[in-house]
Amino acid sequence: MVKEKARLVGTCEELRTYLNTMWRRLDKPVGEQKAFLEKHGGYKPEDLDALQEEVDRCQQLKWEKLETYLNRLATEAIKLAKSCCVDDAIIQLPDDQDSSDPEVMANHLENVLDQLTETYSQHRPIYDSIATYEELWQSLQEIEVRLKDPAIFSNRGGILLKTEKEKKRLVKEVQRAEQDVLNTIEQYEAKNNTKFLLSGGRTFKQYATDRWSYNKPSRETSRARRSIFDTANTRPNSATVSNPPGAPT
């Protein structure tokens, strides 16, 4: 009796989780979702029957709203692939499958999502730390773009110095986040006795190192810009010598 009750509870919860996913993909009104779950929120045999009937209805409805369903699947898969550091080309149908058949495409995307969901669940601490690193890296790149804008030199409000200060802070935060990722990966590898690799077979350390190497010229350019002000500030005051545009006065 206890085992049967546990099986019933587990099955009901599994079906509710599945329905929440399908309702989102099929744009089922939130009010209808709540009403259904309030009516069938228990773990009785009749609740299980109602949940299974709703699952069957959603399965039928997805073929009736196939275009919407496919778009939602693709969007969801691309987002999850990014979270798992996987190239979004994973959503593309293999060459040996019929791309003109919507049912084939739907089954493919559902399988991809199942695989990505399992991958994300297994490595979530790593992917979450990488997400933090990526967000900070993007902020750093935005600062780099601002520093390359010639207009920043003509601003006398100290914008250049403030931007350089912000960049220095972000560089430290990126380095700290990078180390957090490496520590999380090290803990995972020690616990599971397996190597964690990104898409393409690279380690995260290789990935991060390549990024810094690629962006080295911009860092040197930034240091060169700072040297302009260092030089300007050490020159003697003279009627023939003026500070460069944007330099502190």
Side-chain angles (χ1 to χ4, degrees):
M1 180 66 71
V2 174
K3 289 184 178 180
E4 179 63 23
K5 178 66 174 179
R7 185 194 67 81
L8 186 61
V9 170
T11 303
C12 285
E13 286 301 317
E14 184 178 335
L15 291 177
R16 289 190 184 99
T17 299
Y18 177 79
L19 285 174
N20 282 325
T21 298
M22 291 299 292
W23 287 340
R24 184 182 68 252
R25 293 171 180 170
L26 295 169
D27 288 329
K28 185 180 180 69
V30 175
E32 293 182 16
Q33 296 181 36
K34 289 183 178 179
F36 179 88
L37 292 176
E38 287 175 0
K39 185 176 181 180
H40 305 290
Y43 301 98
K44 297 178 180 179
E46 51 265 35
D47 292 315
L48 177 60
D49 291 341
L51 289 167
Q52 187 59 61
E53 287 178 8
E54 179 65 9
V55 166
D56 294 341
R57 193 187 74 82
C58 287
Q59 285 289 338
Q60 179 60 37
L61 189 59
K62 81 176 184 181
W63 302 120
E64 297 174 8
K65 302 177 64 175
L66 190 55
E67 184 176 355
T68 297
Y69 185 71
L70 285 175
N71 287 336
R72 288 297 174 85
L73 286 179
T75 300
E76 194 175 331
I78 290 173
K79 182 178 180 180
L80 191 53
K82 182 178 180 181
S83 296
C84 294
C85 306
V86 174
D87 194 311
D88 58 20
I90 192 174
I91 74 169
Q92 296 176 4
L93 202 64
D95 294 336
D96 60 348
Q97 296 189 33
D98 185 4
S99 59
S100 64
D101 188 338
E103 183 174 351
V104 171
M105 190 63 188
N107 290 334
H108 168 68
L109 289 174
E110 287 175 342
N111 289 333
V112 167
L113 277 167
D114 287 343
Q115 294 169 12
L116 289 173
T117 299
E118 182 178 357
T119 298
Y120 183 78
S121 177
Q122 291 175 349
H123 308 93
R124 182 164 186 169
I126 296 176
Y127 291 137
D128 286 350
S129 62
I130 290 178
T132 299
Y133 162 82
E134 290 289 353
E135 184 177 344
L136 289 167
W137 180 268
Q138 182 59 38
S139 296
L140 180 59
Q141 297 314 295
E142 291 171 1
I143 287 287
E144 290 281 12
V145 171
R146 285 159 55 189
L147 286 171
K148 291 177 182 178
D149 184 357
I152 200 170
F153 286 99
S154 62
N155 189 295
R156 288 188 171 275
I159 297 299
L160 177 58
L161 293 179
K162 291 178 182 178
T163 305
E164 286 284 7
K165 184 177 180 180
E166 176 67 7
K167 176 186 173 180
K168 185 177 180 180
R169 180 188 67 80
L170 279 171
V171 167
K172 290 182 178 180
E173 289 196 16
V174 168
Q175 292 171 337
R176 188 180 301 114
E178 183 179 319
Q179 189 58 52
D180 286 344
V181 175
L182 292 173
N183 291 341
T184 304
I185 291 175
E186 184 179 354
Q187 292 171 9
Y188 168 83
E189 292 179 339
K191 180 179 179 180
N192 296 277
N193 194 30
T194 186
K195 196 82 171 174
F196 176 84
L197 298 175
L198 299 174
S199 178
R202 284 192 299 173
T203 64
F204 176 79
K205 187 173 183 178
Q206 291 171 326
Y207 170 71
T209 300
D210 289 346
R211 263 188 163 178
W212 284 117
S213 298
Y214 179 79
N215 284 271
K216 186 176 181 181
S218 64
R219 296 208 307 278
E220 291 178 344
T221 299
S222 184
R223 286 196 293 269
R225 282 175 172 161
R226 287 198 297 272
S227 71
I228 292 175
F229 294 97
D230 293 339
T231 302
N233 290 334
T234 57
R235 289 175 179 170
N237 290 330
S238 169
T240 60
V241 178
S242 60
N243 288 331
T249 57

